[in-house]
Amino acid sequence: VQLQASGGGLGQAGGSLRLSCAHSGSTFNSDAMGWFRQAPGKEREFVAASSWTGGSAYYADSAKGRFTISRDDAKNTVYLQMNHLKPEDTAVYYCAAQHYGCSDYGCYDEDEYDDWGQGTLVTVSS
C-alpha cells in the first residue's frame, strides 16, 4: 500500500486547509485511516481517524470541533478538513492505514497502523 498525502501549505490563523491522502492499494475499503502530525521538536501525535466504514470518527482533543475526517471510497481517498486553524497546528501531517479496521484504543495508537504516507507540511501563521 502506498499513501500519498497532499494539501499542506501555508494557512492563516482562523483559516482552513484540506488535506488529502490517496491510498493506492486494494485494501482501502477495509482499512481504518488515520491522520497524525509531528510539530518541530515534538513527538508525533494522533489527530483523527476514520473507521473502515466511515461510520465512526475519532479525534484528538485538539482537533475536536475544528477538524473533520472523511473518506471517499470511490476515490480511495481520505480527507482532513481543518478549520479555525491555530499556529499550534503547524506540523508535518501524516496519513496512515490500519488493515482490517481499528478498535477504539487502536484507532489512536500509531503503533497499530501498518502503512504510512510521506507527510505534508502545514504551516499556520498568526
Side-chain angles (χ1 to χ4, degrees):
V1 172
Q2 288 188 326
L3 303 174
Q4 181 71 43
S6 61
L10 180 63
Q12 290 191 332
S16 299
L17 285 173
R18 188 176 81 156
L19 306 183
S20 300
C21 175
H23 181 300
S24 68
S26 60
T27 61
F28 182 74
N29 289 347
S30 61
D31 286 350
M33 297 296 298
W35 286 97
F36 293 76
R37 69 185 183 186
Q38 187 168 20
K42 295 188 175 182
E43 299 283 321
R44 187 159 60 187
E45 63 177 8
F46 169 81
V47 177
S50 169
S51 65
W52 68 274
T53 65
S56 296
Y58 307 82
Y59 295 97
D61 288 344
S62 59
K64 287 178 183 176
R66 299 189 301 126
F67 294 1
T68 302
I69 188 170
S70 62
R71 59 192 294 156
D72 186 336
D73 286 356
K75 296 182 179 180
N76 276 24
T77 300
V78 64
Y79 303 97
L80 185 68
Q81 178 67 44
M82 304 188 295
N83 298 328
H84 305 293
L85 288 166
K86 302 176 181 180
E88 50 264 45
D89 294 322
T90 295
V92 176
Y93 284 71
Y94 298 90
C95 61
Q98 189 172 148
H99 302 321
Y100 308 114
C102 62
S103 57
D104 293 337
Y105 179 79
C107 300
Y108 298 87
D109 185 356
E110 65 175 85
D111 291 336
E112 296 296 318
Y113 285 80
D114 301 293
D115 301 294
W116 291 82
Q118 85 291 357
T120 185
L121 176 63
V122 171
T123 304
V124 182
S125 62
S126 58

